Amino acid sequence: MNIYILLFQCRDQRGIVAKLADFLFKSGANIITADQYSTDPRGGYFFIRLEFIVDAASRSKSALEKGLGIIADKLGARFSLSDKHKPLRMGICVSKPGHCLAEILYLWRERELNVDIPFVISNFKGHRKFVGQYRIPFYFIPATKSNRRENALLKVVAKSTDFLVLSRYMLVLSKKFLSAYRKDIINIHHGFLPSFKGSSPYKQAFSSGVKVIGATCHFVTEKLDDGPIITQAVEHISHKDGLGDLVCKGRNLEKRALSDALRAYVDYRVIRHDNKTIVF
Amino acid sequence: MNIYILLFQCRDQRGIVAKLADFLFKSGANIITADQYSTDPRGGYFFIRLEFIVDAASRSKSALEKGLGIIADKLGARFSLSDKHKPLRMGICVSKPGHCLAEILYLWRERELNVDIPFVISNFKGHRKFVGQYRIPFYFIPATKSNRRENALLKVVAKSTDFLVLSRYMLVLSKKFLSAYRKDIINIHHGFLPSFKGSSPYKQAFSSGVKVIGATCHFVTEKLDDGPIITQAVEHISHKDGLGDLVCKGRNLEKRALSDALRAYVDYRVIRHDNKTIVF
Amino acid sequence: MNIYILLFQCRDQRGIVAKLADFLFKSGANIITADQYSTDPRGGYFFIRLEFIVDAASRSKSALEKGLGIIADKLGARFSLSDKHKPLRMGICVSKPGHCLAEILYLWRERELNVDIPFVISNFKGHRKFVGQYRIPFYFIPATKSNRRENALLKVVAKSTDFLVLSRYMLVLSKKFLSAYRKDIINIHHGFLPSFKGSSPYKQAFSSGVKVIGATCHFVTEKLDDGPIITQAVEHISHKDGLGDLVCKGRNLEKRALSDALRAYVDYRVIRHDNKTIVF
Amino acid sequence: MNIYILLFQCRDQRGIVAKLADFLFKSGANIITADQYSTDPRGGYFFIRLEFIVDAASRSKSALEKGLGIIADKLGARFSLSDKHKPLRMGICVSKPGHCLAEILYLWRERELNVDIPFVISNFKGHRKFVGQYRIPFYFIPATKSNRRENALLKVVAKSTDFLVLSRYMLVLSKKFLSAYRKDIINIHHGFLPSFKGSSPYKQAFSSGVKVIGATCHFVTEKLDDGPIITQAVEHISHKDGLGDLVCKGRNLEKRALSDALRAYVDYRVIRHDNKTIVF
């Protein structure tokens, strides 16, 4: 028995659920989870996530894809079909702050995060030993603001990854890099977006006297710290919290927002739509 | 155009979604929201909530119910079909503490809570004037622990309500009353269940030195403060919070837990299953 | 026995606590709560809040003030001494949205908010009846964006209030008004500042795809939605929440942020310092 | 310059703050943080935490202790004086679940937790390599329910530690062990106490259908899972969360509750009083 996850989206119209459910039923599949969302019940955009079990012998993945493709064509829809238990290959880029890296690697080792990690790339040599303890290849690429070495980066990540995580990577990726890589890039921003974009968000938060701080995990787009938000984590602070406390509390928020987002992403529960996300 | 909500549940089996979706499609309906849950993907219990639009001219409610009944019979399922915009009739019972009552009536007047309120019943006369300001009938039933006057209560509520809310009603309803009323009764308990059942939960919380307090909204069953939980609201406290502060913060939690639960309930998003709830 | 609250602030220097504690001890007072904060332990600004009991017969308020004045002069400090149980006079200004007004009046009636409310001012006539139920004077001042009628407003509030609450008052008060009134004005903003300033913050939040929304209670300064923040309340949202849900959830956040802020303020636990607040 | 932290507690009485502040002033100290709490303003128990800077040359720690001792004797008080920057020696006991261990070691290495860690003791061999990476001694003591090997444990911990952390140590320590060790022992319980004591709290939570789960960090006393609570962390769950999700979310709560508690404890901000704690 295989478990597949179908993500399917199109303009809302009558009969989408019926067509999909009927096809799956006739393919011998049993739907075990259905999540659906429409941007506007009276004529918006329609999204569905179906998780179903099917006997491998009775229907191959490519046969399912073919059938779904026919339905999608009629409805003007896009879809993806994924094998629930086949891990995605997640590349990690990280600069000096290592708390998110440590969290991800720990979750991965404990099998709480279902991914393969082909490598960790850093412009900070100091992580080599730590990463080595997990028996994951470590590549030091001495990227800086003036020389981001994106070609070297691209060479490593292009074919070996299904998506990238910027786990506190302090360099902005260029439009050119994004176009060349073309797959999803997930960033953890150490501030409560849309407030406090750019650098030193905790300093900005501290100066502004806010009583709640946050961290934001989002897809990377060409505009800095502006892509579709996946998760946000927040915590109350008080006047007693100095800048150091904010950084310290913030690290926990970053770990939480990032691990929640990654868990949802690798379970195919995150859908990008315009500048927003649907997180089933 | 009418909007209906279908709640449908049965033992999990292949093809449920297909059968329902196909029926609705052929009835000219367009599914606008689908929420589904199975207790166990490999053979548990299956629940679905479907919200759909249908042209009143093309298919009447009773025609839809008839068709759904045939499907349900084959699958051994239970279902209910409700008119989204037809408000449920919510009876309110309240003792002296009036904060939840005030919250509910305010939400009702602001149309944030889609119900009809046929009356407020209290064993505390002092609420008469307040309730009168909302032009809602007020019945004073001087129930006490030694004489709960459940016959009088039943007489008022039996036919005029679709469900009851115990909005800080301090008397336990008897098994006999529950059997006679037979519809849902929702209670707000001023403690974080399953801790602190029974009376004076804030005193219990204060004495035990907990650092988080809560309020719990649940269905009433024969066992005191033990029915299926719908919502819980929680808040951090510190050693500085005296018993009075706990009561005060707790009132806010009660209002929050209760109003969230009621909003979900009247939107048919709450399903009871054994000793738990599914809240879509 | 009287209970007084002393707020005392100056440049940090050795011996402040000793001088104050010694004076109070010699005055026959017993300190029952002490809260202290320094912006920087090695030479910043020092704040203390002391709550103490003193036998009315032994020492009058003016005698205490005189003694404290001598200490303050030596230390270059500012201070205020307040009678804990003497309620402040809180003026309320409100436009059409009435949920915060309802919350405040309810808390006031239940004695959860220790204030006198000399009046409610509104540019929306519709609140007259509701306010009347609480036997509080209601003044309709038909202020609009083009004619804010601040002279009329000032006439009412100048002498009869100790501070003002803008409980969803949709007009900006001018610099001139602020200079003339000179006392604290507390505003509830229906957004998570510093994001989403100005009007329609929920619409802004909805469009931006944030996963957490908030409300902010702050002091009014000349810059719109930019004064020192007292409290912020936040709540997680999902893609399922439409604009209407945000408004609805937001109302609860506003009520929470505002009532927490007012409770702290009238208990003299809020101190303004530059563009921030200390909330003991 | 040295920074000291004074914890001082006694029956409430007039002049305590004055006596302490006066003594410190005359000793050349500058109070940088004062936190005070009384269980009852009219005659309860009084607690104060004072953080102060003093020139090492002018006054030694023992001289300060001597002076404070005289004051304490007069007031019938207990006190402790600690060097803020001298790390406490924290022993760690851990069974198989390693997430809290990993969190603590990471915080320690990042200097977010100011302690010395003389060793990690475990009845699970598998942690040896992980602990070794941090260059911390690892002792395998094969304790089981039937043979807790408390003598071996005591031998290791008695002299080399200032306090113990049970970082998911699955054995109950005996009364005899507690009496022999005599110092503080901090436990992380993977449930929201006082609900769900004992083993398998997540299973208990799952079966009971709660909508919020929690983790509790508390001092160990003779009664199982019943000592004074230091911190509690909570998170909302839904019907979608299976037992596995609860365990996974719970691990994050445990890490949060434990690290918050330890940070407060080693900063001398936690005071035990009867069955409760004061956490400044």
Side-chain angles (χ1 to χ4, degrees):
Chain A
M1 299 298 266
N2 288 329
I3 303 187
Y4 292 109
I5 295 164
L6 170 66
L7 295 181
F8 194 97
Q9 55 180 288
C10 57
R11 286 244 134 243
D12 205 353
Q13 51 202 291
R14 279 208 311 121
I16 310 173
V17 179
K19 284 184 184 68
L20 292 172
D22 183 58
F23 169 75
L24 291 176
F25 178 58
K26 287 178 178 154
S27 303
N30 188 26
I31 295 173
I32 53 180
T33 312
D35 287 290
Q36 179 272 338
Y37 171 69
S38 298
T39 54
D40 181 341
R42 288 158 198 273
Y45 217 75
F46 172 99
F47 304 87
I48 198 162
R49 180 189 183 279
L50 294 171
E51 206 172 315
F52 56 90
I53 303 186
V54 71
D55 189 338
S58 79
R59 214 52 77 101
S60 70
K61 193 180 175 214
S62 61
L64 290 167
E65 275 172 332
K66 205 176 146 193
L68 290 165
I70 294 167
I71 298 172
D73 281 350
K74 279 186 203 151
L75 297 168
R78 287 191 296 142
F79 77 97
S80 68
L81 187 69
S82 309
D83 194 331
K84 186 182 170 82
H85 295 302
K86 194 181 158 204
L88 289 170
R89 297 166 304 158
M90 175 178 83
I92 301 176
C93 299
V94 60
S95 293
K96 199 178 175 193
H99 52 285
C100 287
L101 174 68
E103 180 78 0
I104 295 175
L105 294 189
Y106 184 82
L107 292 177
W108 167 77
R109 201 187 60 186
E110 297 293 301
R111 295 166 200 274
E112 290 189 30
L113 189 58
N114 178 34
V115 289
D116 284 339
I117 302 180
F119 57 78
V120 171
I121 288 175
S122 185
N123 56 358
F124 177 67
K125 260 187 201 162
H127 293 314
R128 183 184 298 279
K129 201 181 144 199
F130 180 71
V131 172
Q133 289 166 0
Y134 286 91
R135 301 183 182 282
I136 295 173
F138 177 85
Y139 302 129
F140 172 60
I141 297 183
T144 61
K145 276 196 182 172
S146 54
N147 184 356
R148 299 187 199 161
R149 297 180 188 267
E150 294 192 339
N151 286 337
L153 185 59
L154 190 60
K155 226 172 180 173
V156 178
V157 305
K159 297 207 173 151
S160 60
T161 61
D162 294 313
F163 73 108
L164 272 189
V165 175
L166 307 186
S167 164
R168 296 294 304 271
Y169 190 64
M170 310 311 266
L171 296 174
V172 178
L173 296 172
S174 71
K175 187 174 163 174
K176 203 184 135 203
F177 180 89
L178 300 184
S179 315
Y181 181 61
R182 287 212 329 265
K183 296 175 238 180
D184 287 331
I185 304 176
I186 292 174
N187 183 46
I188 177 71
H189 178 74
H190 45 314
F192 185 72
L193 295 176
S195 299
F196 311 137
K197 295 185 183 184
S199 64
S200 304
Y202 292 124
K203 211 176 232 170
Q204 292 181 52
F206 181 70
S207 306
S208 73
V210 290
K211 299 293 187 188
V212 171
I213 57 166
T216 304
C217 192
H218 65 96
F219 287 110
V220 172
T221 57
E222 290 172 26
K223 284 178 70 179
L224 177 64
D225 298 332
D226 198 56
I229 293 171
I230 308 170
T231 53
Q232 298 192 292
V234 285
E235 188 169 337
H236 286 267
I237 56 167
S238 84
H239 62 274
K240 283 189 182 181
D241 291 296
L243 184 53
D245 299 300
L246 263 55
V247 170
C248 184
K249 291 186 174 185
R251 280 181 188 156
N252 275 316
L253 295 175
E254 293 163 41
K255 285 153 65 176
R256 239 195 286 168
L258 179 59
S259 58
D260 285 352
L262 291 180
R263 255 194 288 258
Y265 182 81
V266 303
D267 199 24
Y268 305 97
R269 289 189 281 112
V270 181
I271 301 175
R272 292 170 72 154
H273 180 62
D274 293 341
N275 68 329
K276 297 191 188 182
T277 65
I278 292 131
V279 183
F280 283 129
Chain B
M1 298 297 267
N2 287 329
I3 302 187
Y4 291 109
I5 295 165
L6 170 65
L7 295 181
F8 193 97
Q9 55 181 287
C10 56
R11 286 245 133 241
D12 205 353
Q13 52 202 289
R14 280 209 309 123
I16 310 173
V17 179
K19 285 184 183 68
L20 292 173
D22 183 59
F23 169 75
L24 291 177
F25 179 58
K26 288 179 178 154
S27 304
N30 188 28
I31 295 173
I32 54 180
T33 313
D35 287 290
Q36 179 271 337
Y37 172 70
S38 298
T39 54
D40 182 341
R42 289 159 198 270
Y45 217 76
F46 173 98
F47 304 87
I48 198 162
R49 179 188 183 280
L50 294 170
E51 207 171 315
F52 57 90
I53 302 185
V54 72
D55 189 337
S58 78
R59 214 53 74 103
S60 71
K61 194 181 173 210
S62 60
L64 290 167
E65 276 172 333
K66 206 177 147 193
L68 290 165
I70 294 167
I71 297 172
D73 281 350
K74 279 187 202 151
L75 297 169
R78 286 190 296 143
F79 77 97
S80 69
L81 186 70
S82 308
D83 194 332
K84 186 181 170 81
H85 295 303
K86 195 182 158 203
L88 289 170
R89 298 166 303 159
M90 176 177 82
I92 301 176
C93 298
V94 60
S95 292
K96 199 177 175 194
H99 53 285
C100 286
L101 174 68
E103 181 78 0
I104 296 174
L105 296 188
Y106 185 81
L107 292 177
W108 168 77
R109 199 187 61 186
E110 296 294 300
R111 295 167 200 273
E112 289 189 29
L113 189 59
N114 178 34
V115 289
D116 284 339
I117 301 180
F119 58 79
V120 171
I121 288 176
S122 184
N123 56 358
F124 177 67
K125 258 186 200 163
H127 293 314
R128 183 183 298 279
K129 201 180 145 199
F130 180 71
V131 172
Q133 288 165 0
Y134 286 92
R135 300 183 184 283
I136 294 172
F138 177 84
Y139 303 130
F140 172 59
I141 297 184
T144 61
K145 277 197 181 169
S146 53
N147 184 356
R148 299 186 200 162
R149 297 182 188 267
E150 293 192 338
N151 286 337
L153 185 59
L154 189 61
K155 225 172 182 174
V156 178
V157 306
K159 298 209 171 147
S160 60
T161 60
D162 294 312
F163 72 108
L164 271 190
V165 175
L166 307 187
S167 164
R168 296 295 304 271
Y169 190 64
M170 311 309 267
L171 295 175
V172 178
L173 296 172
S174 71
K175 188 174 164 176
K176 202 183 137 204
F177 180 90
L178 300 184
S179 317
Y181 182 61
R182 289 214 325 268
K183 297 174 234 180
D184 287 331
I185 304 176
I186 292 174
N187 183 46
I188 177 72
H189 178 73
H190 44 316
F192 186 72
L193 294 176
S195 299
F196 313 137
K197 295 185 181 184
S199 63
S200 303
Y202 291 124
K203 213 177 231 168
Q204 292 180 53
F206 181 70
S207 305
S208 73
V210 290
K211 299 295 188 185
V212 172
I213 56 167
T216 304
C217 193
H218 64 97
F219 287 110
V220 172
T221 58
E222 289 172 28
K223 284 177 72 179
L224 177 64
D225 297 333
D226 198 57
I229 292 170
I230 307 168
T231 52
Q232 297 193 292
V234 285
E235 187 169 337
H236 287 267
I237 57 167
S238 84
H239 63 273
K240 281 190 183 180
D241 291 296
L243 184 52
D245 299 299
L246 263 54
V247 170
C248 185
K249 291 186 174 186
R251 279 180 189 159
N252 275 317
L253 295 176
E254 294 162 42
K255 284 153 66 176
R256 241 196 284 167
L258 180 58
S259 59
D260 285 353
L262 291 179
R263 256 194 289 257
Y265 182 82
V266 303
D267 199 23
Y268 306 97
R269 290 188 281 112
V270 181
I271 301 176
R272 293 170 72 153
H273 179 63
D274 294 341
N275 68 329
K276 297 191 188 182
T277 64
I278 292 131
V279 182
F280 283 128
Chain C
M1 299 296 267
N2 287 330
I3 302 187
Y4 291 109
I5 296 165
L6 170 66
L7 295 180
F8 194 97
Q9 56 181 287
C10 57
R11 286 245 134 242
D12 205 353
Q13 52 201 290
R14 280 209 309 121
I16 310 173
V17 179
K19 284 184 184 67
L20 292 172
D22 184 59
F23 169 75
L24 291 176
F25 178 59
K26 287 180 178 154
S27 304
N30 188 28
I31 295 172
I32 53 179
T33 312
D35 288 289
Q36 179 271 339
Y37 171 69
S38 297
T39 54
D40 181 342
R42 289 159 197 272
Y45 217 76
F46 172 99
F47 304 87
I48 197 162
R49 179 189 183 278
L50 294 171
E51 206 172 314
F52 57 90
I53 303 185
V54 71
D55 189 337
S58 78
R59 211 55 73 104
S60 70
K61 194 179 173 213
S62 61
L64 290 166
E65 275 172 332
K66 204 176 149 193
L68 290 164
I70 293 167
I71 298 172
D73 281 350
K74 279 186 201 150
L75 297 168
R78 287 190 295 143
F79 77 96
S80 69
L81 186 70
S82 309
D83 193 331
K84 185 180 170 82
H85 295 301
K86 195 181 158 204
L88 289 170
R89 298 167 304 159
M90 174 177 83
I92 301 176
C93 298
V94 60
S95 292
K96 199 178 175 194
H99 53 284
C100 287
L101 175 68
E103 180 77 1
I104 295 175
L105 295 188
Y106 185 81
L107 293 177
W108 167 77
R109 201 188 60 186
E110 296 293 300
R111 296 168 199 273
E112 290 189 29
L113 189 59
N114 178 35
V115 288
D116 284 339
I117 302 180
F119 58 77
V120 171
I121 287 177
S122 184
N123 56 358
F124 177 67
K125 258 186 200 162
H127 294 312
R128 182 183 299 279
K129 202 182 144 197
F130 179 71
V131 172
Q133 288 165 1
Y134 287 92
R135 300 182 184 284
I136 295 172
F138 177 86
Y139 302 129
F140 173 61
I141 298 184
T144 60
K145 275 195 183 171
S146 53
N147 184 356
R148 300 189 199 158
R149 297 182 186 268
E150 294 192 339
N151 286 336
L153 185 59
L154 190 61
K155 225 172 180 173
V156 178
V157 306
K159 298 208 171 148
S160 59
T161 60
D162 295 311
F163 73 108
L164 271 190
V165 175
L166 307 187
S167 161
R168 297 293 305 271
Y169 190 65
M170 310 310 267
L171 296 175
V172 178
L173 296 172
S174 71
K175 188 175 164 174
K176 203 183 135 203
F177 179 89
L178 300 184
S179 317
Y181 182 60
R182 287 213 328 264
K183 297 175 237 181
D184 287 330
I185 304 177
I186 292 174
N187 183 46
I188 177 72
H189 178 73
H190 45 315
F192 185 77
L193 295 176
S195 299
F196 312 137
K197 295 186 181 183
S199 63
S200 304
Y202 292 123
K203 213 175 231 168
Q204 292 181 53
F206 181 70
S207 305
S208 73
V210 291
K211 298 294 187 186
V212 172
I213 56 167
T216 305
C217 193
H218 64 97
F219 287 110
V220 173
T221 57
E222 288 173 27
K223 284 177 72 179
L224 177 62
D225 297 333
D226 198 56
I229 293 171
I230 307 169
T231 52
Q232 297 192 292
V234 285
E235 188 169 337
H236 287 267
I237 57 168
S238 84
H239 62 273
K240 282 189 182 181
D241 291 297
L243 183 53
D245 299 300
L246 264 55
V247 170
C248 184
K249 291 186 174 184
R251 280 181 188 157
N252 275 315
L253 295 176
E254 293 163 41
K255 284 153 65 176
R256 239 194 286 167
L258 179 58
S259 59
D260 285 351
L262 291 180
R263 256 194 288 257
Y265 182 82
V266 303
D267 199 26
Y268 305 97
R269 290 189 281 111
V270 181
I271 301 175
R272 292 170 72 154
H273 179 62
D274 292 341
N275 68 329
K276 297 192 189 182
T277 64
I278 292 131
V279 182
F280 283 129
Chain D
M1 298 297 267
N2 288 330
I3 302 186
Y4 291 109
I5 295 164
L6 170 66
L7 295 181
F8 193 97
Q9 55 181 287
C10 57
R11 286 245 134 241
D12 205 354
Q13 53 202 290
R14 280 209 310 120
I16 310 173
V17 179
K19 285 184 184 67
L20 291 173
D22 183 59
F23 169 76
L24 292 176
F25 179 58
K26 288 180 177 153
S27 304
N30 189 26
I31 295 172
I32 54 180
T33 313
D35 287 290
Q36 179 271 338
Y37 172 69
S38 298
T39 53
D40 181 342
R42 289 159 196 272
Y45 217 77
F46 173 99
F47 304 86
I48 198 163
R49 178 189 183 279
L50 294 171
E51 206 172 314
F52 57 89
I53 303 185
V54 71
D55 189 336
S58 78
R59 213 53 76 103
S60 70
K61 194 181 173 212
S62 61
L64 290 166
E65 276 172 332
K66 204 176 147 193
L68 290 165
I70 294 167
I71 297 172
D73 281 350
K74 278 187 203 151
L75 297 168
R78 287 190 296 142
F79 77 97
S80 69
L81 186 71
S82 309
D83 193 331
K84 186 182 170 81
H85 295 302
K86 194 181 159 205
L88 289 171
R89 297 166 305 159
M90 176 177 82
I92 301 176
C93 298
V94 61
S95 292
K96 198 177 175 195
H99 51 286
C100 286
L101 174 68
E103 180 78 0
I104 295 175
L105 295 188
Y106 184 82
L107 293 177
W108 167 77
R109 200 187 60 185
E110 296 293 301
R111 296 168 198 273
E112 290 190 29
L113 189 59
N114 179 34
V115 288
D116 285 338
I117 302 181
F119 57 79
V120 171
I121 287 176
S122 185
N123 55 359
F124 177 67
K125 259 187 199 161
H127 293 314
R128 183 183 298 278
K129 202 181 144 198
F130 179 72
V131 172
Q133 289 165 0
Y134 286 92
R135 301 182 184 283
I136 294 173
F138 177 84
Y139 303 129
F140 173 58
I141 297 183
T144 61
K145 276 196 182 171
S146 53
N147 184 356
R148 299 187 199 158
R149 298 182 187 268
E150 294 191 338
N151 287 337
L153 185 59
L154 190 62
K155 225 171 181 173
V156 178
V157 306
K159 297 208 172 148
S160 60
T161 61
D162 294 314
F163 73 108
L164 271 190
V165 175
L166 308 187
S167 164
R168 295 295 304 272
Y169 190 65
M170 311 310 267
L171 296 175
V172 178
L173 296 172
S174 71
K175 188 175 163 176
K176 202 182 137 204
F177 180 89
L178 301 184
S179 316
Y181 181 61
R182 287 213 329 264
K183 297 174 235 180
D184 287 331
I185 303 177
I186 292 174
N187 183 46
I188 177 71
H189 178 73
H190 45 314
F192 185 76
L193 294 175
S195 299
F196 312 137
K197 296 185 181 182
S199 63
S200 304
Y202 292 124
K203 213 175 230 170
Q204 293 180 53
F206 181 69
S207 305
S208 73
V210 290
K211 298 295 188 186
V212 172
I213 56 167
T216 304
C217 193
H218 64 97
F219 287 111
V220 172
T221 57
E222 289 173 28
K223 284 178 72 178
L224 177 64
D225 297 333
D226 198 57
I229 293 170
I230 307 169
T231 52
Q232 297 193 291
V234 285
E235 187 169 337
H236 287 267
I237 57 167
S238 84
H239 62 274
K240 282 189 183 182
D241 291 296
L243 183 53
D245 300 300
L246 263 55
V247 169
C248 183
K249 291 186 173 184
R251 280 180 188 158
N252 275 317
L253 296 176
E254 293 162 41
K255 285 152 66 175
R256 238 196 285 167
L258 179 59
S259 59
D260 285 352
L262 291 180
R263 257 194 288 258
Y265 183 82
V266 304
D267 199 24
Y268 306 96
R269 289 188 283 111
V270 181
I271 301 175
R272 291 169 73 154
H273 179 62
D274 293 340
N275 68 329
K276 297 192 189 182
T277 64
I278 291 130
V279 182
F280 283 129

